[in-house]
């Protein structure tokens, strides 16, 4: 499981002209990618890491200041462009495998007490954010 966590002052995701998720920061906008051997345990581990990650202003975490998270599925995090000019997506898990695991990350975050907004799995999404810093961290589970 791979995630890109960005410290934001605001973020939103729009599908077909409708805002489906939106946060005002400080908070995190998190892109989550799933590969074939990922598990619910890795999803729970990622949720705990995101909740406690001290990258908000003053070295605070979302758990320290009840900061919101916007979690968006992103299969392209497993794109491989080492050969040629067109990336391959072989390492990305198919939707029926990936969707429940992204949902599990969200469920685990909520069980920890997080306010979580989401994108819409498999949809053509327009993501807007104001990266605060900028500050971006890549996580691998």
């Amino acid at each position: 499981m791979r995630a890109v966590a960005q410290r934001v002052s605001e973020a939103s995701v729009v599908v077909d002209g409708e805002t489906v998720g939106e946060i005002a920061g400080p908070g995190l906008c998190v892109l989550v990618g799933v590969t074939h051997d990922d598990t619910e345990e890795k999803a729970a581990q990622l949720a705990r890491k995101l909740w406690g990650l001290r990258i908000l202003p003053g070295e605070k975490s979302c758990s320290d200041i009840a900061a919101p998270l916007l979690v968006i599925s992103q299969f392209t995090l497993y794109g491989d462009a080492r050969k040629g000019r067109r990336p391959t997506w072989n390492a990305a898990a198919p939707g029926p495998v990936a969707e429940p695991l992204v949902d599990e990350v969200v469920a685990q975050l909520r069980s920890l007490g997080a306010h979580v907004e989401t994108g819409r799995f498999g949809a053509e999404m327009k993501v807007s954010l104001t990266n605060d810093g900028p500050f971006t961290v890549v996580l691998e589970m």
Side-chain angles (χ1 to χ4, degrees):
M1 191 162 278
R2 186 174 286 163
V4 175
Q6 297 176 296
R7 183 173 78 186
V8 298
S9 56
E10 61 186 357
S12 64
V13 61
V14 173
V15 176
D16 294 329
E18 173 194 358
T19 300
V20 297
E22 183 173 33
I23 63 170
L28 296 180
C29 181
V30 183
L31 307 176
V32 176
V34 177
T35 192
H36 300 282
D37 63 352
D38 284 336
T39 62
E40 287 186 359
E41 291 77 22
K42 285 184 180 181
Q45 182 183 14
L46 177 59
R48 288 189 304 272
K49 176 66 83 172
L50 290 167
W51 187 231
L53 193 62
R54 295 173 57 174
I55 64 169
L56 296 177
E59 293 188 5
K60 301 289 185 187
S61 69
C62 288
S63 66
D64 291 332
I65 61 172
L69 299 95
L70 175 61
V71 176
I72 302 164
S73 63
Q74 185 78 11
F75 79 92
T76 62
L77 291 181
Y78 279 102
D80 184 353
R82 289 178 288 183
K83 294 172 104 178
R85 296 180 297 145
R86 183 178 300 139
T88 64
W89 315 112
N90 296 336
V97 173
E99 185 173 12
L101 290 173
V102 173
D103 289 346
E104 183 65 17
V105 171
V106 171
Q108 289 290 327
L109 280 164
R110 287 178 175 152
S111 75
L112 293 167
H115 172 80
V116 183
E117 296 282 322
T118 65
R120 188 170 294 153
F121 192 91
E124 183 74 26
M125 294 179 273
K126 306 292 186 209
V127 179
S128 299
L129 60 93
T130 302
N131 194 315
D132 181 14
F135 205 118
T136 302
V137 176
V138 178
L139 303 169
E140 294 266 353
M141 296 294 126

